[in-house]
Amino acid sequence: MRNRRIAPVVAISAVAALVPALTPAVASAAAPAPRAAAAADALKPYTQQKPRWKRCDAEAPANFECATVKVPLDYTRPDGRKLDVEVSRTRATSAQDRRGVLLLNPGGPGGAGLDMPLWLAPELPDAVKKQYDLIGFDPRGVGRSSPVSCGMNDDDRNWQRPYKAATFGKDVRWARTVAEKCRAKGGGVLPHLTTRNTARDMDVIRAVLGEKKISYLGYSYGTYLGAVYTQMFPRRADRFVLDSAVDPERIWRGMIQVWAEGAEPAFARWSEWTAERHATYGLGSTPAEVGRTFRDLVAQADRKPVDLDGTLLTGDDIRAGRAMFFDVTYAAETVARLKKAAAGGPSTPAPSRRSTSPAPVPPSFARAVPSDNMDASFWAVACADTRAWPRDPEQYRRDAIRDKARYPLYGDFASHIKPCAFWQKGAEPATKVNNSVSALILQNEWDSQTPLVSGQGLRRAMKGSRMVTVLGGQGHGVYGSKSCADKTATAYLTTGRLPAADLTCRAPSGQARNRPQLPLPVPPGVQER
Protein backbone atom coordinates (compact mmCIF):
# COMPACT_ATOMS: atom_id res chain seq x y z
CA MET A 1 0.00 0.00 0.00
CA ARG A 2 2.03 2.85 -1.22
CA ASN A 3 -0.50 5.65 -1.08
CA ARG A 4 -0.38 5.91 2.71
CA ARG A 5 2.26 5.06 5.28
CA ILE A 6 2.55 4.72 8.98
CA ALA A 7 5.82 6.23 9.95
CA PRO A 8 7.27 4.71 11.96
CA VAL A 9 4.43 2.34 12.87
CA VAL A 10 4.39 0.35 9.65
CA ALA A 11 4.88 0.73 5.96
CA ILE A 12 1.38 0.07 4.65
CA SER A 13 2.50 -0.09 1.03
CA ALA A 14 2.33 -3.25 -0.73
CA VAL A 15 3.00 -10.52 -0.57
CA ALA A 16 -0.96 -33.81 -15.40
CA ALA A 17 1.56 -35.43 -12.80
CA LEU A 18 4.95 -33.83 -12.92
CA VAL A 19 8.21 -35.68 -12.83
CA PRO A 20 9.50 -35.53 -9.23
CA ALA A 21 13.15 -36.13 -10.02
CA LEU A 22 15.94 -35.02 -12.30
CA THR A 23 18.11 -38.12 -12.40
CA PRO A 24 17.45 -41.83 -11.98
CA ALA A 25 19.15 -41.70 -8.58
CA VAL A 26 16.51 -39.33 -7.21
CA ALA A 27 13.49 -40.68 -9.02
CA SER A 28 10.43 -41.38 -6.93
CA ALA A 29 10.51 -44.89 -5.57
CA ALA A 30 7.00 -45.36 -6.95
CA ALA A 31 7.99 -44.35 -10.48
CA PRO A 32 8.75 -47.20 -12.90
CA ALA A 33 12.44 -47.30 -13.79
CA PRO A 34 11.92 -46.75 -17.55
CA ARG A 35 9.82 -43.65 -16.86
CA ALA A 36 12.42 -42.25 -14.47
CA ALA A 37 15.20 -42.90 -16.98
CA ALA A 38 13.22 -41.20 -19.74
CA ALA A 39 12.65 -38.19 -17.50
CA ALA A 40 16.35 -37.98 -16.70
CA ASP A 41 17.24 -38.16 -20.40
CA ALA A 42 14.79 -35.37 -21.21
CA LEU A 43 16.42 -33.15 -18.58
CA LYS A 44 20.03 -33.80 -19.61
CA PRO A 45 20.24 -30.54 -21.59
CA TYR A 46 19.65 -28.79 -18.26
CA THR A 47 21.51 -30.99 -15.79
CA GLN A 48 24.60 -31.18 -18.00
CA GLN A 49 24.94 -27.45 -18.58
CA LYS A 50 28.39 -25.95 -18.20
CA PRO A 51 27.81 -22.55 -16.60
CA ARG A 52 29.99 -19.64 -17.62
CA TRP A 53 31.08 -18.12 -14.35
CA LYS A 54 32.20 -14.53 -14.32
CA ARG A 55 32.66 -11.79 -11.79
CA CYS A 56 29.18 -10.58 -10.86
CA ASP A 57 30.12 -6.92 -11.09
CA ALA A 58 33.24 -4.89 -11.59
CA GLU A 59 32.80 -3.38 -8.14
CA ALA A 60 31.91 -6.65 -6.39
CA PRO A 61 34.54 -8.79 -4.65
CA ALA A 62 36.67 -10.73 -7.10
CA ASN A 63 35.57 -14.08 -5.62
CA PHE A 64 31.87 -13.30 -6.10
CA GLU A 65 30.90 -15.07 -9.33
CA CYS A 66 27.64 -15.27 -11.25
CA ALA A 67 26.28 -17.54 -13.98
CA THR A 68 22.99 -18.13 -15.75
CA VAL A 69 21.38 -21.56 -15.65
CA LYS A 70 18.57 -22.51 -18.02
CA VAL A 71 15.53 -24.36 -16.63
CA PRO A 72 12.29 -25.47 -18.28
CA LEU A 73 9.25 -23.33 -17.62
CA ASP A 74 7.21 -26.56 -17.41
CA TYR A 75 9.07 -29.68 -16.28
CA THR A 76 6.52 -31.89 -18.01
CA ARG A 77 7.55 -30.23 -21.29
CA PRO A 78 11.29 -29.82 -21.04
CA ASP A 79 11.57 -29.11 -24.78
CA GLY A 80 9.32 -26.08 -24.39
CA ARG A 81 9.92 -22.57 -23.15
CA LYS A 82 12.98 -21.95 -20.99
CA LEU A 83 13.63 -19.58 -18.11
CA ASP A 84 16.85 -18.08 -16.83
CA VAL A 85 17.86 -18.67 -13.23
CA GLU A 86 20.71 -16.44 -12.11
CA VAL A 87 23.11 -18.11 -9.67
CA SER A 88 25.99 -16.69 -7.63
CA ARG A 89 28.73 -18.18 -5.52
CA THR A 90 31.65 -17.52 -3.26
CA ARG A 91 33.97 -20.48 -2.94
CA ALA A 92 34.80 -22.25 0.31
CA THR A 93 37.74 -20.58 2.00
CA SER A 94 39.55 -23.90 2.50
CA ALA A 95 39.92 -26.36 -0.37
CA GLN A 96 41.09 -28.98 2.10
CA ASP A 97 38.05 -28.64 4.37
CA ARG A 98 35.46 -28.10 1.62
CA ARG A 99 32.41 -30.32 2.03
CA GLY A 100 30.12 -29.03 -0.73
CA VAL A 101 27.63 -26.25 -1.42
CA LEU A 102 25.28 -24.35 0.85
CA LEU A 103 22.33 -22.98 -1.10
CA LEU A 104 20.76 -19.87 0.38
CA ASN A 105 17.27 -18.40 0.21
CA PRO A 106 16.19 -15.19 1.99
CA GLY A 107 12.42 -15.70 1.96
CA GLY A 108 9.49 -13.96 0.32
CA PRO A 109 7.89 -15.38 -1.72
CA GLY A 110 9.46 -13.01 -4.21
CA GLY A 111 12.71 -12.32 -2.35
CA ALA A 112 15.84 -12.03 -4.49
CA GLY A 113 18.72 -14.12 -3.19
CA LEU A 114 21.51 -13.52 -5.67
CA ASP A 115 23.44 -11.24 -3.32
CA MET A 116 22.99 -13.44 -0.23
CA PRO A 117 26.58 -14.76 -0.26
CA LEU A 118 27.73 -11.14 0.05
CA TRP A 119 25.58 -9.93 2.93
CA LEU A 120 25.33 -13.20 4.83
CA ALA A 121 29.01 -14.15 4.74
CA PRO A 122 30.04 -11.64 7.44
CA GLU A 123 27.45 -13.16 9.78
CA LEU A 124 28.52 -16.79 9.25
CA PRO A 125 31.28 -18.46 11.29
CA ASP A 126 34.58 -19.16 9.57
CA ALA A 127 34.05 -22.88 10.17
CA VAL A 128 30.99 -22.80 7.89
CA LYS A 129 32.68 -20.74 5.20
CA LYS A 130 35.62 -23.13 5.17
CA GLN A 131 33.39 -26.07 4.33
CA TYR A 132 30.90 -24.64 1.85
CA ASP A 133 30.67 -22.71 -1.35
CA LEU A 134 27.91 -20.19 -0.60
CA ILE A 135 25.37 -20.34 -3.42
CA GLY A 136 22.82 -17.57 -3.96
CA PHE A 137 20.13 -17.50 -6.60
CA ASP A 138 17.12 -15.50 -7.66
CA PRO A 139 14.17 -17.91 -7.80
CA ARG A 140 12.33 -18.20 -11.09
CA GLY A 141 10.41 -15.03 -11.90
CA VAL A 142 12.37 -12.96 -9.38
CA GLY A 143 15.09 -10.36 -9.83
CA ARG A 144 17.46 -11.41 -12.60
CA SER A 145 15.77 -14.78 -13.15
CA SER A 146 13.32 -14.02 -15.99
CA PRO A 147 11.51 -11.43 -13.82
CA VAL A 148 7.73 -11.24 -14.02
CA SER A 149 5.46 -8.22 -13.83
CA CYS A 150 1.72 -7.66 -13.72
CA GLY A 151 1.90 -3.95 -14.55
CA MET A 152 0.47 -3.05 -11.13
CA ASN A 153 -0.01 0.54 -10.06
CA ASP A 154 0.20 1.78 -6.49
CA ASP A 155 -3.43 1.02 -5.72
CA ASP A 156 -3.06 -2.51 -7.13
CA ARG A 157 -0.17 -3.09 -4.75
CA ASN A 158 -2.16 -1.82 -1.75
CA TRP A 159 -3.34 -5.19 -0.43
CA GLN A 160 -3.55 -4.76 3.35
CA ARG A 161 -7.25 -3.90 3.27
CA PRO A 162 -9.54 -4.01 6.32
CA TYR A 163 -13.01 -5.39 5.85
CA LYS A 164 -15.80 -2.80 5.76
CA ALA A 165 -19.27 -3.46 4.42
CA ALA A 166 -19.24 -0.13 2.57
CA THR A 167 -16.04 -0.91 0.67
CA PHE A 168 -16.42 -4.66 0.18
CA GLY A 169 -17.54 -4.36 -3.44
CA LYS A 170 -14.59 -2.08 -4.22
CA ASP A 171 -12.18 -4.53 -2.60
CA VAL A 172 -13.60 -7.42 -4.63
CA ARG A 173 -13.07 -5.40 -7.81
CA TRP A 174 -9.52 -4.65 -6.72
CA ALA A 175 -8.72 -8.34 -6.18
CA ARG A 176 -10.25 -9.28 -9.54
CA THR A 177 -8.38 -6.47 -11.31
CA VAL A 178 -5.00 -7.58 -9.96
CA ALA A 179 -5.65 -11.19 -10.99
CA GLU A 180 -6.78 -10.10 -14.46
CA LYS A 181 -3.75 -7.86 -14.97
CA CYS A 182 -1.43 -10.68 -13.98
CA ARG A 183 -3.20 -13.16 -16.24
CA ALA A 184 -3.05 -10.74 -19.18
CA LYS A 185 0.65 -9.98 -18.73
CA GLY A 186 2.01 -13.33 -17.60
CA GLY A 187 -0.72 -15.93 -18.00
CA GLY A 188 1.57 -18.42 -19.69
CA VAL A 189 4.24 -18.18 -17.00
CA LEU A 190 2.53 -17.52 -13.67
CA PRO A 191 0.97 -21.01 -13.20
CA HIS A 192 4.51 -22.41 -13.25
CA LEU A 193 5.98 -20.02 -10.67
CA THR A 194 5.46 -22.50 -7.88
CA THR A 195 7.54 -23.71 -4.98
CA ARG A 196 7.66 -27.21 -6.48
CA ASN A 197 9.20 -25.87 -9.66
CA THR A 198 11.67 -23.73 -7.74
CA ALA A 199 12.68 -26.87 -5.85
CA ARG A 200 13.22 -28.58 -9.20
CA ASP A 201 15.31 -25.61 -10.27
CA MET A 202 17.41 -26.08 -7.13
CA ASP A 203 18.06 -29.65 -8.17
CA VAL A 204 19.13 -28.50 -11.61
CA ILE A 205 21.54 -26.12 -9.88
CA ARG A 206 22.82 -29.04 -7.81
CA ALA A 207 23.46 -31.09 -10.93
CA VAL A 208 25.07 -28.20 -12.79
CA LEU A 209 27.43 -27.63 -9.86
CA GLY A 210 28.40 -31.30 -10.00
CA GLU A 211 27.17 -32.08 -6.50
CA LYS A 212 25.51 -35.30 -5.34
CA LYS A 213 23.78 -33.46 -2.49
CA ILE A 214 23.14 -29.91 -1.36
CA SER A 215 23.10 -28.31 2.04
CA TYR A 216 20.75 -25.41 2.54
CA LEU A 217 20.00 -22.38 4.69
CA GLY A 218 16.56 -20.90 4.09
CA TYR A 219 14.74 -18.17 5.96
CA SER A 220 10.98 -17.60 6.19
CA TYR A 221 9.43 -18.66 2.85
CA GLY A 222 12.78 -20.33 2.27
CA THR A 223 11.89 -22.84 4.99
CA TYR A 224 8.92 -24.00 2.97
CA LEU A 225 11.03 -24.14 -0.18
CA GLY A 226 13.59 -26.22 1.69
CA ALA A 227 10.93 -28.49 3.14
CA VAL A 228 9.43 -29.09 -0.31
CA TYR A 229 12.89 -29.93 -1.64
CA THR A 230 13.35 -32.53 1.10
CA GLN A 231 9.97 -34.01 0.21
CA MET A 232 10.70 -34.19 -3.52
CA PHE A 233 14.41 -35.03 -3.36
CA PRO A 234 15.05 -36.64 0.02
CA ARG A 235 18.24 -38.38 -1.11
CA ARG A 236 19.72 -35.10 -2.32
CA ALA A 237 19.23 -33.21 0.96
CA ASP A 238 22.32 -33.06 3.13
CA ARG A 239 22.28 -30.52 6.01
CA PHE A 240 19.22 -28.29 5.97
CA VAL A 241 18.74 -25.32 8.31
CA LEU A 242 15.20 -23.92 8.17
CA ASP A 243 15.02 -20.58 9.96
CA SER A 244 11.78 -18.80 10.97
CA ALA A 245 9.51 -21.44 9.64
CA VAL A 246 6.38 -21.63 7.51
CA ASP A 247 3.80 -24.25 8.46
CA PRO A 248 3.25 -26.29 5.26
CA GLU A 249 -0.30 -27.04 6.35
CA ARG A 250 -1.15 -23.32 6.28
CA ILE A 251 0.08 -22.26 2.86
CA TRP A 252 -0.76 -19.64 1.86
CA ARG A 253 -3.97 -18.07 3.07
CA GLY A 254 -3.37 -19.63 6.46
CA MET A 255 0.08 -18.06 6.68
CA ILE A 256 -1.49 -14.63 6.24
CA GLN A 257 -4.23 -15.46 8.73
CA VAL A 258 -1.66 -16.64 11.28
CA TRP A 259 -0.41 -13.04 11.47
CA ALA A 260 -3.72 -12.15 13.09
CA GLU A 261 -3.64 -15.19 15.36
CA GLY A 262 -0.08 -14.42 16.44
CA ALA A 263 -0.68 -10.71 16.97
CA GLU A 264 -3.09 -11.24 19.87
CA PRO A 265 -0.65 -12.89 22.32
CA ALA A 266 2.01 -10.40 21.21
CA PHE A 267 -0.38 -7.54 22.03
CA ALA A 268 -1.20 -9.09 25.42
CA ARG A 269 2.51 -9.46 26.24
CA TRP A 270 3.14 -5.86 25.18
CA SER A 271 0.25 -4.62 27.33
CA GLU A 272 1.67 -6.33 30.41
CA TRP A 273 5.22 -5.10 29.73
CA THR A 274 4.06 -1.52 29.10
CA ALA A 275 1.84 -1.41 32.18
CA GLU A 276 4.88 -2.19 34.30
CA ARG A 277 6.52 0.89 32.79
CA HIS A 278 3.65 3.34 33.12
CA ALA A 279 6.01 5.92 34.61
CA THR A 280 8.00 5.87 31.38
CA TYR A 281 5.29 5.67 28.72
CA GLY A 282 2.11 6.90 30.42
CA LEU A 283 -0.12 4.42 28.62
CA GLY A 284 -1.75 2.77 31.64
CA SER A 285 -0.78 1.12 34.89
CA THR A 286 -2.54 -2.19 34.18
CA PRO A 287 -2.68 -4.32 31.02
CA ALA A 288 -6.39 -3.50 30.67
CA GLU A 289 -5.68 0.24 30.83
CA VAL A 290 -2.90 -0.06 28.23
CA GLY A 291 -5.20 -2.00 25.90
CA ARG A 292 -7.94 0.57 26.37
CA THR A 293 -5.52 3.41 25.58
CA PHE A 294 -4.62 1.75 22.29
CA ARG A 295 -8.23 1.00 21.35
CA ASP A 296 -9.23 4.58 22.16
CA LEU A 297 -6.47 5.83 19.87
CA VAL A 298 -7.73 3.61 17.06
CA ALA A 299 -11.30 4.83 17.54
CA GLN A 300 -10.19 8.46 17.65
CA ALA A 301 -8.15 8.04 14.47
CA ASP A 302 -11.14 6.49 12.74
CA ARG A 303 -13.19 9.58 13.59
CA LYS A 304 -10.39 12.00 12.70
CA PRO A 305 -7.04 10.80 11.33
CA VAL A 306 -4.03 11.45 13.54
CA ASP A 307 -1.25 13.57 12.08
CA LEU A 308 2.02 11.80 12.82
CA ASP A 309 5.04 13.50 11.25
CA GLY A 310 2.89 14.91 8.47
CA THR A 311 1.13 11.62 7.68
CA LEU A 312 -2.57 11.28 8.43
CA LEU A 313 -3.30 7.90 9.98
CA THR A 314 -6.70 6.30 10.37
CA GLY A 315 -7.44 3.67 12.95
CA ASP A 316 -7.13 1.02 10.25
CA ASP A 317 -3.67 2.33 9.37
CA ILE A 318 -2.65 1.96 12.99
CA ARG A 319 -4.08 -1.57 13.26
CA ALA A 320 -2.18 -2.55 10.13
CA GLY A 321 0.97 -1.96 12.17
CA ARG A 322 0.32 -5.14 14.17
CA ALA A 323 3.94 -6.29 13.64
CA MET A 324 5.26 -3.58 15.97
CA PHE A 325 3.82 -5.37 19.03
CA PHE A 326 6.38 -8.15 18.66
CA ASP A 327 9.01 -5.62 19.75
CA VAL A 328 7.69 -4.35 23.07
CA THR A 329 9.99 -1.34 23.43
CA TYR A 330 9.44 -0.11 19.91
CA ALA A 331 5.66 -0.52 20.23
CA ALA A 332 5.50 1.36 23.55
CA GLU A 333 7.55 4.23 22.14
CA THR A 334 5.43 4.39 19.00
CA VAL A 335 2.04 4.24 20.73
CA ALA A 336 3.20 6.95 23.16
CA ARG A 337 4.03 9.14 20.16
CA LEU A 338 0.64 8.42 18.63
CA LYS A 339 -1.08 9.36 21.87
CA LYS A 340 0.78 12.66 22.02
CA ALA A 341 0.03 13.39 18.35
CA ALA A 342 -3.66 12.58 18.85
CA ALA A 343 -3.76 15.07 21.73
CA GLY A 344 -2.24 17.74 19.52
CA GLY A 345 1.12 17.70 21.25
CA PRO A 346 4.46 18.39 19.56
CA SER A 347 6.15 15.62 17.61
CA THR A 348 8.77 13.54 19.39
CA PRO A 349 11.69 11.69 17.78
CA ALA A 350 10.76 8.43 16.15
CA PRO A 351 11.92 5.28 17.95
CA SER A 352 14.90 3.53 16.46
CA ARG A 353 14.11 1.01 13.78
CA ARG A 354 16.04 -1.96 12.51
CA SER A 355 16.35 -1.77 8.77
CA THR A 356 14.80 -4.62 6.80
CA SER A 357 16.00 -3.45 3.39
CA PRO A 358 18.64 -5.57 1.65
CA ALA A 359 22.28 -4.78 2.21
CA PRO A 360 23.67 -2.37 -0.40
CA VAL A 361 25.26 -3.83 -3.52
CA PRO A 362 27.27 -2.12 -6.26
CA PRO A 363 25.06 0.17 -8.37
CA SER A 364 25.32 -1.84 -11.56
CA PHE A 365 25.07 -5.25 -9.91
CA ALA A 366 21.34 -5.84 -10.33
CA ARG A 367 19.70 -5.37 -13.68
CA ALA A 368 16.59 -3.27 -13.75
CA VAL A 369 13.52 -5.30 -12.84
CA PRO A 370 9.87 -4.26 -12.98
CA SER A 371 8.84 -2.15 -10.00
CA ASP A 372 6.10 -4.65 -9.11
CA ASN A 373 8.33 -7.72 -9.49
CA MET A 374 8.19 -8.71 -5.82
CA ASP A 375 4.43 -8.13 -5.69
CA ALA A 376 3.84 -10.13 -8.86
CA SER A 377 6.06 -13.03 -7.82
CA PHE A 378 4.62 -13.00 -4.29
CA TRP A 379 1.08 -13.44 -5.60
CA ALA A 380 2.21 -15.93 -8.24
CA VAL A 381 3.58 -18.30 -5.62
CA ALA A 382 0.92 -17.62 -2.98
CA CYS A 383 -1.90 -18.22 -5.45
CA ALA A 384 -0.45 -20.97 -7.67
CA ASP A 385 1.12 -23.12 -4.95
CA THR A 386 -2.22 -24.29 -3.58
CA ARG A 387 -5.79 -24.66 -4.74
CA ALA A 388 -7.21 -24.02 -1.27
CA TRP A 389 -8.14 -20.35 -1.83
CA PRO A 390 -11.94 -19.86 -1.72
CA ARG A 391 -13.48 -18.76 -5.02
CA ASP A 392 -16.63 -17.22 -3.55
CA PRO A 393 -16.15 -13.57 -2.48
CA GLU A 394 -18.85 -14.01 0.14
CA GLN A 395 -16.66 -16.56 1.91
CA TYR A 396 -14.05 -13.83 2.43
CA ARG A 397 -16.70 -11.49 3.78
CA ARG A 398 -17.88 -14.07 6.31
CA ASP A 399 -14.35 -14.98 7.32
CA ALA A 400 -13.29 -11.34 7.74
CA ILE A 401 -16.27 -10.60 9.98
CA ARG A 402 -15.62 -13.73 12.03
CA ASP A 403 -11.90 -13.10 12.42
CA LYS A 404 -12.30 -9.42 13.28
CA ALA A 405 -14.22 -10.67 16.31
CA ARG A 406 -11.66 -13.38 17.10
CA TYR A 407 -8.55 -11.29 16.48
CA PRO A 408 -9.53 -7.62 16.79
CA LEU A 409 -6.12 -6.22 15.93
CA TYR A 410 -5.68 -7.72 12.46
CA GLY A 411 -8.24 -10.48 11.83
CA ASP A 412 -10.24 -8.71 9.14
CA PHE A 413 -7.08 -7.67 7.26
CA ALA A 414 -5.81 -11.24 7.22
CA SER A 415 -9.02 -12.95 6.09
CA HIS A 416 -10.28 -10.32 3.65
CA ILE A 417 -10.34 -11.00 -0.08
CA LYS A 418 -7.06 -11.40 -1.98
CA PRO A 419 -6.25 -11.70 -5.72
CA CYS A 420 -5.95 -15.47 -5.28
CA ALA A 421 -9.76 -15.65 -5.25
CA PHE A 422 -9.64 -14.99 -9.01
CA TRP A 423 -6.24 -16.46 -9.90
CA GLN A 424 -5.77 -19.09 -12.55
CA LYS A 425 -4.97 -22.50 -11.11
CA GLY A 426 -1.38 -23.48 -10.57
CA ALA A 427 0.17 -26.22 -12.64
CA GLU A 428 -0.20 -28.86 -9.91
CA PRO A 429 -1.53 -29.39 -6.38
CA ALA A 430 0.41 -28.33 -3.31
CA THR A 431 3.08 -30.56 -1.84
CA LYS A 432 2.22 -32.57 1.23
CA VAL A 433 5.27 -32.28 3.48
CA ASN A 434 5.50 -35.39 5.62
CA ASN A 435 8.94 -36.94 5.87
CA SER A 436 11.76 -38.04 8.14
CA VAL A 437 14.57 -36.13 6.46
CA SER A 438 17.03 -34.62 8.93
CA ALA A 439 16.84 -30.84 9.30
CA LEU A 440 17.30 -28.15 11.95
CA ILE A 441 14.47 -25.67 12.52
CA LEU A 442 15.23 -22.35 14.24
CA GLN A 443 12.47 -20.17 15.66
CA ASN A 444 12.18 -16.98 17.71
CA GLU A 445 9.34 -16.99 20.22
CA TRP A 446 8.19 -13.53 19.09
CA ASP A 447 8.42 -13.49 15.31
CA SER A 448 5.84 -11.31 13.59
CA GLN A 449 5.99 -12.96 10.16
CA THR A 450 6.27 -16.63 11.06
CA PRO A 451 4.90 -16.89 14.61
CA LEU A 452 6.00 -19.69 16.92
CA VAL A 453 2.95 -21.80 16.10
CA SER A 454 4.06 -21.81 12.47
CA GLY A 455 7.50 -23.18 13.30
CA GLN A 456 5.88 -25.84 15.43
CA GLY A 457 3.77 -26.84 12.43
CA LEU A 458 6.85 -27.43 10.28
CA ARG A 459 8.42 -29.44 13.10
CA ARG A 460 5.38 -31.77 13.11
CA ALA A 461 5.60 -32.24 9.34
CA MET A 462 9.34 -33.00 9.33
CA LYS A 463 9.61 -35.85 11.77
CA GLY A 464 13.35 -36.27 11.39
CA SER A 465 14.04 -32.65 12.27
CA ARG A 466 14.96 -30.95 15.52
CA MET A 467 13.82 -27.50 16.59
CA VAL A 468 15.57 -24.81 18.59
CA THR A 469 13.22 -22.23 20.09
CA VAL A 470 14.69 -18.93 21.27
CA LEU A 471 12.54 -17.95 24.26
CA GLY A 472 12.14 -14.19 24.38
CA GLY A 473 13.64 -13.91 20.91
CA GLN A 474 12.14 -11.10 18.84
CA GLY A 475 12.28 -10.53 15.12
CA HIS A 476 12.36 -12.47 11.90
CA GLY A 477 15.52 -14.48 11.33
CA VAL A 478 17.63 -16.32 13.90
CA TYR A 479 20.89 -17.70 12.48
CA GLY A 480 23.51 -15.07 11.85
CA SER A 481 21.93 -12.55 14.21
CA LYS A 482 24.08 -13.46 17.23
CA SER A 483 21.34 -15.63 18.70
CA CYS A 484 21.74 -18.27 21.37
CA ALA A 485 20.76 -20.78 18.66
CA ASP A 486 23.79 -19.98 16.50
CA LYS A 487 26.07 -22.49 18.22
CA THR A 488 23.67 -25.37 17.55
CA ALA A 489 23.19 -24.38 13.91
CA THR A 490 26.93 -24.05 13.32
CA ALA A 491 27.60 -27.43 14.92
CA TYR A 492 25.00 -29.04 12.68
CA LEU A 493 26.33 -27.45 9.48
CA THR A 494 29.93 -28.35 10.28
CA THR A 495 29.50 -31.83 11.80
CA GLY A 496 26.08 -33.01 10.67
CA ARG A 497 25.04 -33.77 14.23
CA LEU A 498 21.52 -32.79 15.23
CA PRO A 499 20.58 -32.33 18.90
CA ALA A 500 19.21 -35.48 20.48
CA ALA A 501 15.92 -33.66 21.16
CA ASP A 502 14.31 -30.30 20.57
CA LEU A 503 16.00 -27.48 22.46
CA THR A 504 15.09 -24.15 23.97
CA CYS A 505 17.46 -21.33 24.81
CA ARG A 506 16.76 -17.87 26.14
CA ALA A 507 17.68 -14.61 24.46
CA PRO A 508 19.82 -12.57 26.87
CA SER A 509 18.14 -9.48 28.27
CA GLY A 510 18.49 -6.63 25.79
CA GLN A 511 19.71 -8.85 22.96
CA ALA A 512 16.26 -9.33 21.48
CA ARG A 513 15.92 -5.63 20.77
CA ASN A 514 19.51 -4.73 19.93
CA ARG A 515 20.56 -7.74 17.90
CA PRO A 516 21.74 -7.23 14.31
CA GLN A 517 18.89 -7.44 11.83
CA LEU A 518 19.31 -9.63 8.77
CA PRO A 519 18.06 -7.95 5.58
CA LEU A 520 15.37 -10.53 4.95
CA PRO A 521 12.52 -9.68 2.61
CA VAL A 522 8.97 -9.75 3.90
CA PRO A 523 5.79 -9.83 1.84
CA PRO A 524 5.22 -6.59 -0.08
CA GLY A 525 3.68 -3.90 2.06
CA VAL A 526 4.40 -5.57 5.39
CA GLN A 527 6.86 -4.10 7.88
CA GLU A 528 8.76 -6.62 9.99
CA ARG A 529 9.68 -6.05 13.59
Side-chain angles (χ1 to χ4, degrees):
M1 297 183 177
R2 289 170 171 77
N3 58 330
R4 177 178 289 167
R5 289 176 177 268
I6 289 182
V9 179
V10 65
I12 301 297
S13 58
V15 141
L18 296 186
V19 179
L22 297 178
T23 67
V26 294
S28 167
R35 180 179 173 185
D41 288 342
L43 289 169
K44 280 184 178 179
Y46 301 99
T47 59
Q48 296 182 357
Q49 292 176 80
K50 302 299 181 185
R52 297 176 59 187
W53 293 99
K54 59 184 180 180
R55 192 171 178 175
C56 292
D57 183 272
E59 299 178 45
N63 68 334
F64 186 47
E65 303 175 298
C66 287
T68 302
V69 173
K70 298 288 184 180
V71 297
L73 170 67
D74 181 348
Y75 276 84
T76 66
R77 299 177 179 177
D79 293 333
R81 183 173 174 177
K82 299 176 176 60
L83 298 177
D84 290 340
V85 171
E86 200 74 6
V87 182
S88 66
R89 73 177 178 188
T90 57
R91 293 182 182 271
T93 58
S94 171
Q96 181 179 354
D97 296 325
R98 183 185 182 278
R99 176 180 177 81
V101 296
L102 182 67
L103 267 67
L104 308 170
N105 182 275
L114 195 64
D115 61 344
M116 272 191 86
L118 282 183
W119 61 256
L120 189 59
E123 312 301 332
L124 293 178
D126 290 341
V128 172
K129 291 180 285 188
K130 281 183 179 181
Q131 293 193 24
Y132 296 99
D133 296 349
L134 303 182
I135 306 297
F137 67 102
D138 286 348
R140 56 169 53 205
V142 175
R144 290 171 63 170
S145 295
S146 299
V148 294
S149 169
C150 296
M152 291 187 229
N153 59 35
D154 284 350
D155 187 61
D156 296 333
R157 296 161 75 177
N158 174 359
W159 69 274
Q160 287 204 95
R161 296 170 177 247
Y163 170 77
K164 294 184 183 300
T167 59
F168 180 70
K170 178 183 177 182
D171 293 336
V172 171
R173 289 192 296 274
W174 159 78
R176 182 182 286 111
T177 296
V178 171
E180 289 175 348
K181 283 187 175 183
C182 290
R183 186 179 298 115
K185 202 167 178 71
V189 173
L190 296 183
H192 302 284
L193 298 188
T194 63
T195 300
R196 286 180 65 85
N197 277 335
T198 300
R200 293 180 176 107
D201 296 344
M202 286 170 54
D203 210 55
V204 169
I205 293 171
R206 174 203 58 77
V208 167
L209 294 176
E211 301 290 335
K212 292 182 178 180
K213 293 185 176 185
I214 60 171
S215 292
Y216 178 82
L217 171 58
Y219 295 87
S220 192
Y221 163 71
T223 65
Y224 180 64
L225 174 60
V228 169
Y229 185 90
T230 67
Q231 190 70 32
M232 296 176 67
F233 304 100
R235 299 176 187 174
R236 297 303 195 195
D238 193 9
R239 300 170 183 177
F240 271 50
V241 177
L242 308 177
D243 189 318
S244 307
V246 167
D247 182 349
E249 291 296 317
R250 294 181 183 243
I251 63 153
W252 282 108
R253 190 182 185 215
M255 281 306 301
I256 296 175
Q257 290 173 317
V258 80
W259 294 344
E261 180 183 337
E264 296 301 319
F267 184 86
R269 168 181 175 252
W270 169 76
S271 299
E272 293 175 4
W273 185 92
T274 304
E276 294 170 356
R277 294 159 179 81
H278 177 58
T280 300
Y281 300 109
L283 298 177
S285 58
T286 68
E289 288 179 1
V290 172
R292 186 162 53 249
T293 296
F294 178 78
R295 289 189 294 273
D296 288 347
L297 277 170
V298 169
Q300 179 178 344
D302 274 335
R303 294 190 298 271
K304 180 182 178 181
V306 174
D307 186 340
L308 185 68
D309 300 332
T311 300
L312 295 178
L313 304 176
T314 68
D316 290 330
D317 294 332
I318 296 170
R319 287 196 301 121
R322 54 96 202 167
M324 68 177 172
F325 294 106
F326 289 80
D327 184 329
V328 289
T329 304
Y330 175 82
E333 293 171 354
T334 299
V335 174
R337 294 182 70 236
L338 282 167
K339 181 182 177 184
K340 183 172 289 188
S347 179
T348 55
S352 60
R353 301 174 62 212
R354 297 190 300 266
S355 172
T356 57
S357 56
V361 294
S364 59
F365 172 68
R367 300 170 189 163
V369 298
S371 61
D372 69 337
N373 176 241
M374 186 173 183
D375 303 75
S377 50
F378 171 78
W379 288 122
V381 174
C383 301
D385 254 3
T386 173
R387 297 172 181 176
W389 289 91
R391 293 290 178 174
D392 180 6
E394 289 300 318
Q395 182 67 53
Y396 292 90
R397 184 203 296 270
R398 292 190 294 269
D399 291 351
I401 293 171
R402 176 200 67 198
D403 288 346
K404 175 66 179 299
R406 286 179 175 175
Y407 313 118
L409 187 60
Y410 196 76
D412 54 326
F413 283 92
S415 292
H416 199 13
I417 197 161
K418 306 292 187 291
C420 300
F422 304 103
W423 208 265
Q424 61 196 120
K425 285 185 178 180
E428 56 188 318
T431 302
K432 175 70 174 178
V433 176
N434 181 18
N435 63 52
S436 298
V437 176
S438 297
L440 182 66
I441 300 168
L442 307 179
Q443 186 69 45
N444 276 331
E445 182 180 13
W446 298 105
D447 182 330
S448 62
Q449 307 307 317
T450 53
L452 178 58
V453 66
S454 176
Q456 292 167 339
L458 181 60
R459 173 65 180 88
R460 287 192 298 271
M462 298 190 68
K463 297 171 179 59
S465 66
R466 297 291 183 270
M467 182 171 173
V468 181
T469 302
V470 182
L471 297 178
Q474 295 179 169
H476 194 44
V478 179
Y479 190 47
S481 61
K482 309 300 185 287
S483 161
C484 59
D486 280 11
K487 182 178 179 180
T488 303
T490 297
Y492 171 58
L493 285 174
T494 55
T495 69
R497 292 193 297 270
L498 282 173
D502 292 348
L503 302 175
T504 59
C505 64
R506 183 167 292 278
S509 177
Q511 178 176 309
R513 175 163 173 77
N514 298 318
R515 68 182 180 86
Q517 179 66 39
L518 300 175
L520 305 180
V522 295
V526 176
Q527 181 66 45
E528 188 266 326
R529 286 306 308 170

